[in-house]
Structure formats: structure tokens, C-alpha cells
């Protein structure tokens, strides 16, 4: 008698066996992949096609199809549907490139009021001008079509990211000078708390336009079962603005500050006088500051001339205020005592700001610059 024909064996690696075991019991994978995994698992275990068909509730023809495919291309490839494109794409690549080019242009260049495109406005413009531009396949393009075209490429012209243009031709040189000062301060600070440098470095800047705002109705405290947060009336009353002039000691974190109604040369000179009075007479006070007109005016220069060798300027480059460490102090003020502040008078705002400075000086923090990559690459 002739022996029974041997059926072909499905050879699986250890990884493929683990994959089939996990996929056959999965509750989150696509159902078609779970079915195929069960078919291949049972076939690998020695079950016949008829038994497999009854177990997974498929026809014998379908079971045989996936077994044959696994034997031909492997179990992993057989689990997935092969990608196929039944016909050539309707929208050609040059048409898609035209849409991307439009998206990277500003609507105002085409006579619209908007600064950037929305998906709707871009799709409408594409439909109206596609035929004339030689892309008739886009003549009925919907918003979703435009979205898919733009989502398939890395540009995002609908978003605006702000940056600071370097308009100072000596930006790199001035930045290096400021960073060298910070590096020198870091070395000085390693001597410990008792060390008094001959050159004291102070970071100086102003925070202008801070509004004094008064409530028109009392704030409501949180009430259980009614409103869990503080309640505040939407209406308010403006009482003017103030400018905070601050000098941050980079050695010990002490803050010297003034609160003024205006920011002119006379207010800046008053801050310089405060610094002159605070620091020992034998010290040179090195100021890291920007080139604001009040810092360089004739009035300020006349005052500096009366105190020769007392003050030394280190100017940050134009549009380089981020190099001034005192900006971190203003950020701390904004996050703490200036946040949601309401007052009944301009004088109350001034007093509370100065009180906040006192609280900072009661527990001073040394602000440090840690990134000196520009010096290494220079």
C-alpha cells in the first residue's frame, strides 16, 4: 500500500512562535490578524485543515490560503495584508508640490486678508485655481485632501515660531564677553561665602509697564460645594503703571531694587547711587546690562564721571537680553508675588514689590549661568 503523503511543515523561529502565541489571544490586535495567528498556530501544532476551519470558523479554502502563504513567505509576512495599489494615484506629485508651495506662501500675497492659511481657506483657493494652474485633479479638492497632502510632508506653514533676529554685527564678540564675565564669577564663587571680590558683578535691567490694577468688587474666598477657587470680578480699574529697576548680585543673590513711575536717566542714576552706597568703596561694581538709552545718556555719563573707576559696563548685544541673568529674577517675581496681584493704589503696588524684594533677600539664591558652549566653539 502506498503511504500517506506528508504535508509540508511550517518552520517557525522562537520569535515567531512567541509572536503567534501572543497574537492568537490578543484582544486589541486586528481580528483578521488574530484569526490568521490561530490558523498558523494550530497548523504548526499538527491540526488538519478541516479541524482548523471548524475551530476558527473559516472555510477550508481560506484556511488553506493562509497556510500556503505562510509556507511561501513566512509566518510573520503572512499575518499582514500586503500593500497594493489597484490604480495609479489621481493626484500627481507635481500637484501636491503646488499645494505645499501655496501653503508656504502668505494669503495676503493672493489678495486675502489673512496672514496664514487655514485648511478651509487653502482648500477653497486650490479648487478655484487648480485648473488654471494645470492641476485639474485638484479641481474638487476638499479640506481633508489638502490636509492629507500637507500632513505627508515635514513643513508646517500654518504655525508661526518667533525668533530674535541678530541685528548686532558684533553679536558673537559681545556674547563671548558676557559669558567670560559669568565664567569669571563662577570661579570667584568657588572661594566660599567669606570671599569678597575686588570686582563685584551685578546684573541690571528694568521690568517696565507693570500695571497697578484694583478690584471693583471684593474677591470671594473658596466655598465648599459652591466654588472651589477664589472668585474675582471680571471688571477692574487701572491705576497706572510702574517700572522695576533691579540689580542682582551674581555672588550672593542680593537684590537692589527701585520701583518708579517712569524709566528715565534720573531713575537709573538713583539705582546706581543705591549700588554705590551698598557696596564697599574699594570695590569696582561691574554692571551687566543692555544698551538702553537711560544707561548711555549724557546725564548718566555725567554721574559716572563723578565716580571714576567705580562702575564698569559690560553691555549685552542688541536683542540679546536673554544673556542677562537678571531676567531669571524677573521671572521669579512674576511667578511668585506679582502673580494675580491686585492693589488699591499705586503706592500699595510699590510697597508690595519692595516687600517681595525683602523676602527674596531674606533667603537669597545665587543665579548661575551654566552653558558655556559658545566659549568652547569660539
Amino acid at each position: 500500500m502506498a503511504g500517506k503523503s506528508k504535508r509540508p511543515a511550517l518552520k517557525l523561529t522562537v520569535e515567531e512562535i512567541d509572536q503567534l502565541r501572543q497574537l492568537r489571544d490578543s484582544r486589541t490586535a486586528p481580528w483578521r490578524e488574530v484569526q490568521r495567528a490561530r490558523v498558523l498556530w494550530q497548523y504548526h501544532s499538527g491540526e488538519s485543515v478541516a479541524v482548523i476551519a471548524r475551530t476558527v470558523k473559516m472555510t477550508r479554502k481560506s484556511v488553506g490560503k493562509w497556510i500556503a502563504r505562510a509556507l511561501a513567505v513566512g509566518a510573520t509576512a503572512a499575518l499582514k495584508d500586503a500593500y497594493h495599489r489597484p490604480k495609479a494615484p489621481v493626484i500627481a506629485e507635481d500637484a501636491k508640490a503646488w499645494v505645499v508651495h501655496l501653503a508656504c506662501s502668505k494669503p495676503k500675497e493672493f489678495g486675502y486678508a489673512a496672514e496664514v492659511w487655514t485648511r478651509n481657506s487653502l482648500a477653497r483657493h486650490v479648487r478655484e485655481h487648480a485648473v488654471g494652474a494645470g492641476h485639474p485633479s485638484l479641481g474638487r479638492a476638499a479640506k481633508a485632501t489638502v490636509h492629507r497632502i500637507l500632513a505627508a510632508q515635514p513643513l508646517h506653514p500654518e504655525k508661526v515660531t518667533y525668533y530674535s533676529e541678530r541685528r548686532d554685527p558684533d553679536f558673537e564678540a559681545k556674547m563671548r564677553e558676557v559669558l567670560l564675565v559669568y565664567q569669571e564669577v563662577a570661579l570667584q564663587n568657588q572661594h566660599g561665602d567669606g570671599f569678597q571680590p575686588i570686582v563685584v558683578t551685578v546684573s541690571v535691567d528694568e521690568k517696565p509697564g507693570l500695571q497697578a490694577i484694583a478690584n471693583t468688587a471684593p474677591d470671594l474666598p473658596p466655598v465648599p460645594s459652591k466654588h472651589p477657587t477664589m472668585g474675582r470680578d471680571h471688571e477692574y480699574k487701572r491705576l497706572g503703571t510702574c517700572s522695576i529697576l533691579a540689580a542682582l548680585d551674581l555672588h550672593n543673590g542680593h537684590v537692589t531694587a527701585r520701583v518708579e513711575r517712569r524709566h528715565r536717566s534720573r531713575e537709573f542714576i538713583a539705582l546706581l547711587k543705591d549700588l554705590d552706597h551698598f557696596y564697599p568703596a574699594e570695590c569696582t561694581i561691574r554692571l551687566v546690562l543692555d544698551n538702553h538709552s537711560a544707561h548711555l545718556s549724557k546725564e548718566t555719563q555725567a554721574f559716572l564721571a563723578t565716580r571714576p573707576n567705580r562702575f564698569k559696563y559690560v553691555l549685552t548685544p542688541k536683542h540679546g537680553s536673554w544673556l542677562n541673568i537678571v531676567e531669571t529674577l524677573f521671572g521669579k517675581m512674576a511667578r511668585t508675588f506679582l502673580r494675580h496681584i491686585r492693589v488699591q493704589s499705586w503706592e500699595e503696588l510699590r510697597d508690595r514689590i519692595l516687600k517681595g524684594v525683602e523676602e527674596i533677600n531674606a533667603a537669597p539664591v545665587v543665579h548661575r549661568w551654566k552653558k558655556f558652549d559658545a566659549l568652547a566653539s569660539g
Side-chain angles (χ1 to χ4, degrees):
M1 293 178 61
K4 294 182 179 179
S5 61
K6 281 185 72 176
R7 68 176 190 175
L10 178 61
K11 297 180 180 180
L12 301 176
T13 64
V14 176
E15 292 77 9
E16 288 176 330
I17 292 174
D18 290 338
Q19 181 185 16
L20 290 179
R21 182 185 293 111
Q22 295 176 9
L23 192 55
R24 67 175 184 174
D25 301 323
S26 175
R27 295 180 178 272
T28 57
W31 175 242
R32 60 183 179 276
E33 295 182 12
V34 174
Q35 274 190 318
R36 295 168 195 173
R38 292 176 179 177
V39 168
L40 299 183
W41 179 265
Q42 293 189 39
Y43 181 80
H44 178 68
S45 301
E47 298 288 350
S48 65
V49 173
V51 173
I52 297 173
R54 288 196 301 269
T55 305
V56 299
K57 297 181 180 179
M58 296 173 64
T59 64
R60 295 181 62 180
K61 182 178 180 180
S62 296
V63 171
K65 170 186 174 182
W66 296 115
I67 292 174
R69 183 174 175 186
L71 293 172
V73 300
T76 301
L79 293 172
K80 303 287 185 181
D81 286 327
Y83 175 78
H84 64 281
R85 174 173 280 166
K87 58 182 179 180
V90 175
I91 303 176
E93 292 300 321
D94 60 337
K96 295 179 181 178
W98 178 67
V99 173
V100 175
H101 173 72
L102 284 177
C104 292
S105 306
K106 292 187 175 182
K108 66 178 183 180
E109 298 173 6
F110 300 93
Y112 300 107
E115 186 73 11
V116 294
W117 295 101
T118 63
R119 292 288 193 262
N120 274 329
S121 61
L122 181 58
R124 182 169 58 252
H125 182 85
V126 167
R127 289 193 299 270
E128 293 174 356
H129 298 84
V131 176
H135 305 293
S137 60
L138 293 170
R140 299 177 62 184
K143 171 185 171 183
T145 303
V146 171
H147 175 76
R148 284 194 296 269
I149 293 173
L150 297 181
Q153 50 85 42
L155 301 178
H156 297 281
E158 75 280 3
K159 298 180 180 180
V160 177
T161 301
Y162 289 88
Y163 70 98
S164 180
E165 180 72 19
R166 292 185 178 182
R167 295 181 174 87
D168 193 333
D170 299 323
F171 188 96
E172 297 291 338
K174 292 180 180 178
M175 180 180 67
R176 285 181 57 82
E177 182 181 4
V178 173
L179 294 183
L180 285 171
V181 169
Y182 291 159
Q183 197 170 59
E184 180 184 337
V185 170
L187 294 174
Q188 291 174 335
N189 290 347
Q190 293 179 1
H191 289 279
D193 297 336
F195 176 72
Q196 179 62 48
I198 299 176
V199 178
V200 178
T201 305
V202 181
S203 180
V204 178
D205 203 358
E206 299 80 22
K207 183 178 179 65
L210 183 63
Q211 291 195 75
I213 298 177
N215 284 336
T216 56
D219 287 340
L220 303 177
V223 177
S225 302
K226 290 188 177 180
H227 49 89
T229 63
M230 180 185 295
R232 174 169 285 175
D233 187 36
H234 286 283
E235 294 189 9
Y236 56 87
K237 181 180 179 182
R238 290 191 176 96
L239 304 174
T241 61
C242 72
S243 292
I244 305 176
L245 288 74
L248 174 64
D249 191 313
L250 300 185
H251 304 281
N252 56 26
H254 182 272
V255 179
T256 304
R258 299 183 67 88
V259 180
E260 305 285 359
R261 290 185 181 273
R262 300 178 66 182
H263 174 209
R264 298 168 297 180
S265 298
R266 66 182 66 178
E267 285 80 22
F268 179 67
I269 291 172
L271 179 66
L272 294 180
K273 290 180 179 178
D274 291 343
L275 294 173
D276 187 28
H277 177 74
F278 180 77
Y279 289 103
E282 63 273 13
C283 290
T284 298
I285 305 173
R286 180 166 53 185
L287 306 177
V288 179
L289 72 174
D290 59 28
N291 54 2
H292 191 278
S293 58
H295 305 160
L296 307 174
S297 65
K298 294 180 180 179
E299 295 86 347
T300 302
Q301 295 302 318
F303 168 77
L304 294 176
T306 65
R307 305 290 291 143
N309 301 322
R310 178 58 164 166
F311 295 97
K312 179 183 178 181
Y313 277 13
V314 178
L315 296 176
T316 59
K318 190 175 182 180
H319 295 291
S321 60
W322 50 272
L323 283 167
N324 205 337
I325 294 183
V326 74
E327 297 294 339
T328 62
L329 172 67
F330 290 137
K332 182 178 181 179
M333 291 181 178
R335 293 189 304 270
T336 54
F337 59 86
L338 292 180
R339 187 166 178 257
H340 301 308
I341 191 169
R342 292 291 173 91
V343 295
Q344 295 303 313
S345 66
W346 185 93
E347 289 75 15
E348 181 187 346
L349 177 62
R350 176 197 60 198
D351 295 342
R352 289 177 64 178
I353 292 174
L354 295 177
K355 179 63 178 177
V357 172
E358 289 181 12
E359 294 171 356
I360 291 175
N361 288 334
V365 175
V366 178
H367 296 243
R368 296 178 175 87
W369 189 277
K370 298 181 179 179
K371 194 172 181 64
F372 295 101
D373 295 351
L375 294 178
S377 60

